[in-house]
Amino acid sequence: MANMVWHTKLRIYLDLTKDDLGHEELPNLWETIYGADRLYAARNVPVPERGLQCAGVCRDASVEAWMHLRLRANGRREAVHEKTEDENRHTTAVSDEHKAYQERILRAAQEGGFHGNSEVRTRVGRSWIQTDTLVEGADGRRIGWEVQLSAATNGPRSVRARASKAHKNGITPAWHTDRADYAQRHDTHWTRSNNLPAYVIAKTGDLRVISGFRALDFWHCGLRALYPCPHGARRCGKAHVTPKPRDILFDDLVRHTAAGAIVPIEHRITTRLHRFWVTSADRDRLDDLNSDDAQLPPASEAEAPVSASRNRPTCRPGIVMTRHVPQPQVPEQPSTPPTEDTPAARTGTASSPPDLPASLLALQRAADAEHCTLQRLTSEEERTIQRAVWFRAAAAAQSSVTQYARRNRLNRCEIESQLRRITRHPQP
């Protein structure tokens, strides 16, 4: 039996726990639908042709379970499944380990000052979301814990769909398991503990999460870096991040997720998307790293000559401009030497670039100073304000470089490369 029914012909949900079935605008709705169902039964119309489906557990499991209506002598309204296997899906006993996890989540949330309930059904439009344990966190945050243990023979069904549906309706999905094959999936944010009996899970001792939580290691891609460059064999000189597994106590995970100190993220490594939990501080640093690359112009690719490698050169900055393709490889062609009025004469050669005005140097140094100030801040509010200041300073510097190169008919990439080399790597 189920309390929620989907009417395929009227395209509405019927809540049998309410007198009006959840539709005040439709008077006598129960009498109309129940009378039609009794008429179908009198004429031996098959149950699948009556247009009533289970909208509860069966629908969440992506199963079309057909139903018919029944009215008890005491006036109780019931929707009965056609098949016994669909009926058993609603009465499957929850394992002791599953109950122990639910009790532990509620206890940990209460110790952290948060409220929670088990087996919560949340109305979302015309459908429902049923959560094993829902924790009401700080600032309106709602964490929906779903426990999927090895006792489940069929495994999780429609995990991605259920997690996406919960996320779209303001519930952060948190799936916990004790199976290694589930924890290796990336359809949602999985966490994993060891396979333990119920009495161990229910104890107040330490319950360790061995998978699903990461610490982000930020590093500079230089010659002394411990990790290989993710973009190629050579060092690119950029900042990268490497997730490293870290253990955490299950009770701390419940409390910190409700407080917002631990948050879920999606991190792409090469072509694969990984989902795991990190601290809010690591999430903010990762956002800064991604926003820096996304907002500012990709000047690092233009520092090297056009015919050279796109990777950042590993030689000294003073000889970057001299690494050109050897002249004998280019066929000799007759040409007229440039005069003093031509652009080539004004730009000079790679070994003798033109002197840059002091205004460009001042703007670039100001932008670099604002970026250094951003890296030293730790408050999220201060970093947000400082990031906007840095963006404005960098935009002013880039605009001045463009105007200077256009006014003097110079190569903008070379001017920008020379400007950054002078301001960031001054010669003694």
Side-chain angles (χ1 to χ4, degrees):
M1 293 179 291
N3 293 326
M4 289 300 301
V5 180
W6 168 251
H7 202 297
T8 59
K9 297 181 180 179
L10 299 180
R11 310 295 297 177
I12 59 176
Y13 284 93
L14 308 176
D15 189 356
L16 300 185
T17 61
K18 298 181 179 181
D19 295 336
D20 56 2
L21 302 184
H23 299 276
E24 299 179 355
E25 70 282 1
L26 301 177
N28 302 324
L29 181 59
W30 166 257
E31 289 77 7
T32 302
I33 296 177
Y34 181 72
D37 187 73
R38 292 300 88 198
L39 181 60
Y40 287 143
R43 295 187 177 183
N44 296 325
V45 176
V47 175
E49 298 180 9
R50 302 181 189 180
L52 299 177
Q53 287 184 357
C54 176
V57 177
C58 298
R59 189 178 184 90
D60 294 339
S62 302
V63 177
E64 292 184 356
W66 298 99
M67 313 184 74
H68 62 86
L69 301 179
R70 181 171 61 188
L71 184 62
R72 292 288 188 179
N74 57 359
R76 177 184 175 87
R77 302 170 180 176
E78 294 181 350
V80 185
H81 290 82
E82 178 192 16
K83 299 180 180 180
T84 305
E85 59 185 30
D86 296 332
E87 193 75 24
N88 295 335
R89 189 176 294 109
H90 290 255
T91 59
T92 302
V94 179
S95 65
D96 294 337
E97 290 78 9
H98 192 283
K99 296 179 181 178
Y101 267 113
Q102 289 181 318
E103 296 175 358
R104 180 141 193 169
I105 292 173
L106 294 178
R107 184 172 64 250
Q110 292 176 359
E111 292 175 356
F114 306 106
H115 175 70
N117 282 315
S118 297
E119 304 298 337
V120 179
R121 292 177 62 86
T122 305
R123 183 68 179 268
V124 179
R126 296 182 176 181
S127 61
W128 296 80
I129 296 178
Q130 182 165 349
T131 309
D132 286 347
T133 305
L134 183 63
V135 178
E136 302 289 343
D139 302 329
R141 191 176 292 103
R142 309 175 72 192
I143 310 297
W145 285 94
E146 300 286 349
V147 180
Q148 187 67 50
L149 304 179
S150 56
T153 57
N154 295 329
R157 295 185 178 181
S158 305
V159 173
R160 186 186 300 273
R162 292 175 58 185
S164 177
K165 187 176 182 181
H167 180 72
K168 291 180 180 178
N169 293 278
I171 298 178
T172 302
W175 287 70
H176 188 74
T177 183
D178 58 4
R179 299 188 57 173
D181 54 344
Y182 290 174
Q184 294 175 359
R185 298 158 56 122
H186 295 283
D187 45 10
T188 187
H189 296 81
W190 286 93
T191 55
R192 172 180 169 238
S193 297
N194 290 324
N195 188 358
L196 302 173
Y199 74 92
V200 176
I201 300 174
K203 291 195 308 182
T204 58
D206 293 344
L207 177 61
R208 191 167 297 277
V209 177
I210 60 177
S211 175
F213 179 74
R214 300 285 190 273
L216 300 184
D217 187 6
F218 296 85
W219 52 281
H220 182 75
C221 189
L223 294 177
R224 298 183 179 181
L226 300 178
Y227 307 101
C229 179
H231 302 317
R234 299 183 61 183
R235 297 299 180 181
C236 64
K238 298 181 180 179
H240 301 299
V241 58
T242 299
K244 303 178 68 175
R246 286 290 185 273
D247 291 355
I248 187 174
L249 298 181
F250 184 77
D251 295 347
D252 292 341
L253 180 63
V254 173
R255 288 190 288 264
H256 291 335
T257 52
I262 294 180
V263 294
I265 66 169
E266 296 180 353
H267 180 64
R268 185 175 297 278
I269 301 177
T270 60
T271 60
R272 188 173 183 180
L273 185 65
H274 296 260
R275 293 179 172 90
F276 46 82
W277 298 83
V278 298
T279 61
S280 58
D282 282 351
R283 190 270 313 272
D284 295 339
R285 293 188 63 187
L286 181 62
D287 291 342
D288 289 340
L289 180 63
N290 295 334
S291 63
D292 294 351
D293 294 339
Q295 295 294 336
L296 294 182
S300 59
E301 297 182 1
E303 291 186 359
V306 177
S307 58
S309 173
R310 298 180 62 181
N311 295 331
R312 187 184 298 273
T314 58
C315 56
R316 292 177 298 173
I319 59 174
V320 172
M321 302 298 295
T322 62
R323 295 175 63 90
H324 287 279
V325 178
Q327 293 298 332
Q329 296 182 3
V330 181
E332 298 182 357
Q333 298 180 3
S335 59
T336 304
T339 61
E340 295 182 356
D341 296 333
T342 59
R346 289 195 299 269
T347 57
T349 61
S351 59
S352 58
D355 295 334
L356 299 181
S359 59
L360 290 181
L361 301 178
L363 290 175
Q364 185 62 40
R365 290 192 178 100
D368 293 342
E370 298 296 344
H371 184 260
C372 293
T373 304
L374 173 64
Q375 299 297 327
R376 290 192 298 266
L377 298 177
T378 57
S379 174
E380 181 178 358
E381 182 178 0
E382 294 179 352
R383 290 178 67 88
T384 302
I385 299 175
Q386 181 61 28
R387 191 181 299 110
V389 175
W390 171 45
F391 285 170
R392 289 193 295 268
Q398 295 295 312
S399 177
S400 300
V401 171
T402 303
Q403 296 177 4
Y404 177 78
R406 184 180 301 170
R407 182 172 56 253
N408 296 276
R409 302 177 66 183
L410 300 174
N411 189 315
R412 186 190 182 282
C413 295
E414 295 181 358
I415 296 300
E416 183 179 12
S417 176
Q418 179 186 0
L419 175 63
R420 295 193 177 190
R421 187 174 65 255
I422 293 176
T423 56
R424 298 177 182 179
H425 308 284
Q427 294 293 333

